[in-house]
Amino acid sequence: MAPQLPYEILSNIASRVPKEKLINCALVCKHWTEAFLDAFWHETKFEEVNIMKEMSTESNMGRVCFKNAHRVRELTLDCVPLDDMKNFSKLQRIYSGIKSLDYLDPYTAHQGFYIINWGSWKLLSRLRMEFEYSVPVIFEKLFTKLSELPSLTHLTLEAVSGYPGYDDEQTISWQDIDCLHNTLPQLEFLKCTYTFEPISRNDIDKIKHVTPVHALTSMHHKHDYVDASWIFYLALKLPNLIHIEFEDGLKDDHMDPMSYNQKHYLEDIKLLATLDQFFPRLQSAVTFTGSQNGWPFSIFYDTLQHFGVKISNVRVYDCRFPGGPLDGHDRCMRPISESLQISWQELTFSHFHIPITTNFLSYPNLVELRMESRYDIEIDIVIDKCPVLKVLNLYNSKICLSRLPLYRLSEHPLKKLRLIRCETNAHVLKYVSVCCKTLSILKLSSVQLYGLRFKKTGQLVLDMPFTQLNTLILFSIQLNCSPVKSFAIEQLDNVGTDQSNSSRKQQTTRSNWYHTSLIKTGKISKMSAWELGKRDIEYAEKYYQSFIRRKGYEKKFGNMGQYRGGYLQKRFWKRDLQLGTLVLRFKSVKNSFFDFGRFC
């Protein structure tokens, strides 16, 4: 019998169980049934079927999806025909308790949306609507209909193209945005992917008299068109923003950043400086270095500094134009570098071939940094310039050192290091071990090791002798573009002994050996890492005592058992010993994992 857990705890457990297992869990006992069925039916989607006709037939009302409608909280209507609108009110009665709705327009000139009696969904607090570009939206009429939703606080307006190469997209004016906020002053979150329409300089005086709304705290818009006039309007209209985000519009044809007339630079700064305040509550921002029309976001960050806004969390992407983004990136980051605590910096489209850290800024309060760049990243400079950094995530980069073999005299407090799709070598990891003795989590995923060779013993050692890990995660380690299939994780048994005691016993090394292979079940194959037993380890150790001779002998047998990506079936694991073993040596490792969830 299951323990009598409170319903709230059971619901929380149910929300974390894969959907295909929820029904089985619901059968455990009567006490579990309600919570797990609620979780199973929490999200329901109707896609390209005429649900209206099904509901009009009473015999269909016994279907399980309708019998459990009272459990549904998130509903998706995806291209559902709305030709029989008299039955839509019945759908609203059946699913009266929904709090979240995704409404994806079926390309019917939005007639369905305008006919729906939205006010009957009293509990609806989140609404996402997706409209086709080719059918213009009458924004004022749209917002008037939305005003019928008394609980609506989160709104997303998505503009999509149903035709390849269709570029005649509808824009949204500042008057439309003003109408939206005045009609729905209770909104707390707004995401709109319609492109901003340029604001006439003659409208600036009108904008100065807009009525602020105070509920909205998070705003997302495309960066296809942004300029000082739009930032001026948003700062006046939305004084309580905590998060602002300008996301990529993914246009096929990118405008030249030089299209921005530099003579307007000082004018833009002066315009924003006339404000009484500038997003005084702002804590986080996501921007590019420049908008599609070439407006530099460094003006936005300079204005934050001018008004003394201490923003703590920023993501800055390069603007994807050849030439110049590195300078734009630094100009964005410099005004806020002292207040930043969390930063995500992506510079993947630059054509420069110098280390990104050559001019790396100092971040005295930064505790978490994610960098994605095709530049070289000199990890010692990052550590030096971020003295309180706790979490470092590096992506798509070549990780190196600016100097060898110098080490820091003081310890660095780094606790988590993740290298994802990176290149690096043993010197980098040993440097981290020496300088970051508090490191507790290390993830190496799709990491290419360069400048390294297996020894005559057939082993390659990555030595991190001062590192005591709580968690080690490995996935797809490669050497010279070939996957490493055999691993040994070495650690000292007596980590807790007094290291200053000269009379201590000689420390012993504890080794765990692993092999990666593909396991095939029917037509499905997946990666697996299994731990070698004692006898297998003894065989491997003897093999490497005469590695050169045994390696030549094994090659005579070819690739027997190989059947995907060079990986062998588990029973042929001994043939992989000729490729060498990667030895990862730590002071201690509490938990280690091989992350193959995304391999197949």
Side-chain angles (χ1 to χ4, degrees), residues 501-549:
N501 184 1
S502 59
S503 63
R504 69 184 185 277
K505 296 181 180 179
Q506 180 68 32
Q507 292 184 337
T508 58
T509 299
R510 179 160 52 93
S511 297
N512 297 83
W513 290 61
Y514 302 89
H515 180 261
T516 57
S517 58
L518 278 174
I519 297 178
K520 192 171 183 179
T521 305
K523 295 182 179 180
I524 300 175
S525 58
K526 63 179 182 179
M527 280 288 291
S528 175
W530 57 280
E531 185 173 357
L532 275 63
K534 182 178 179 181
R535 295 182 63 179
D536 289 334
I537 293 176
E538 290 175 351
Y539 176 88
E541 289 175 337
K542 289 181 180 179
Y543 183 98
Y544 287 123
Q545 288 175 4
S546 54
F547 175 66
I548 301 299
R549 179 180 61 83

Side-chain angles (χ1 to χ4, degrees), residues 301-320:
Y301 291 107
D302 283 337
T303 308
L304 287 176
Q305 184 185 43
H306 173 76
F307 283 91
V309 179
K310 303 296 184 181
I311 192 168
S312 60
N313 186 339
V314 164
R315 296 184 182 184
V316 174
Y317 302 85
D318 69 40
C319 54
R320 301 193 295 152

Side-chain angles (χ1 to χ4, degrees), residues 288-356:
F288 285 74
T289 54
S291 66
Q292 290 281 14
N293 52 297
W295 188 76
F297 268 99
S298 58
I299 296 176
F300 171 79
Y301 291 107
D302 283 337
T303 308
L304 287 176
Q305 184 185 43
H306 173 76
F307 283 91
V309 179
K310 303 296 184 181
I311 192 168
S312 60
N313 186 339
V314 164
R315 296 184 182 184
V316 174
Y317 302 85
D318 69 40
C319 54
R320 301 193 295 152
F321 302 117
L326 181 59
D327 178 62
H329 173 267
D330 289 346
R331 290 178 67 180
C332 287
M333 302 303 295
R334 187 170 288 107
I336 57 173
S337 59
E338 291 191 3
S339 63
L340 275 187
Q341 297 177 23
I342 300 174
S343 179
W344 186 340
Q345 304 177 19
E346 183 172 323
L347 291 155
T348 57
F349 299 97
S350 174
H351 294 288
F352 290 97
H353 296 285
I354 58 174
I356 181 63

Side-chain angles (χ1 to χ4, degrees), residues 585-599:
R585 184 173 294 157
F586 305 97
K587 191 171 184 180
S588 66
V589 180
K590 186 175 181 181
N591 301 295
S592 58
F593 303 94
F594 288 84
D595 179 17
F596 296 124
R598 301 159 295 156
F599 185 83

Side-chain angles (χ1 to χ4, degrees), residues 55-72:
M55 287 189 299
S56 64
T57 305
E58 290 299 324
S59 60
N60 284 332
M61 297 313 295
R63 288 179 52 184
V64 65
C65 63
F66 296 130
K67 291 175 65 176
N68 286 277
H70 64 285
R71 306 181 190 276
V72 176

Side-chain angles (χ1 to χ4, degrees), residues 371-427:
M371 294 183 68
E372 184 167 353
S373 171
R374 301 199 185 279
Y375 297 94
D376 292 352
I377 295 179
E378 296 163 326
I379 195 170
D380 52 328
I381 292 181
V382 173
I383 288 175
D384 286 341
K385 296 293 184 71
C386 305
V388 297
L389 192 67
K390 300 291 194 303
V391 179
L392 178 58
N393 300 320
L394 302 176
Y395 293 74
N396 296 325
S397 305
K398 185 174 181 179
I399 315 302
C400 56
L401 295 172
S402 66
R403 55 192 184 274
L404 282 174
L406 301 176
Y407 296 117
R408 292 165 51 94
L409 295 177
S410 58
E411 292 186 16
H412 190 277
L414 188 69
K415 293 184 179 298
K416 299 178 182 179
L417 175 63
R418 300 180 181 93
L419 305 184
I420 315 294
R421 298 185 298 278
C422 288
E423 297 180 31
T424 191
N425 62 29
H427 299 302

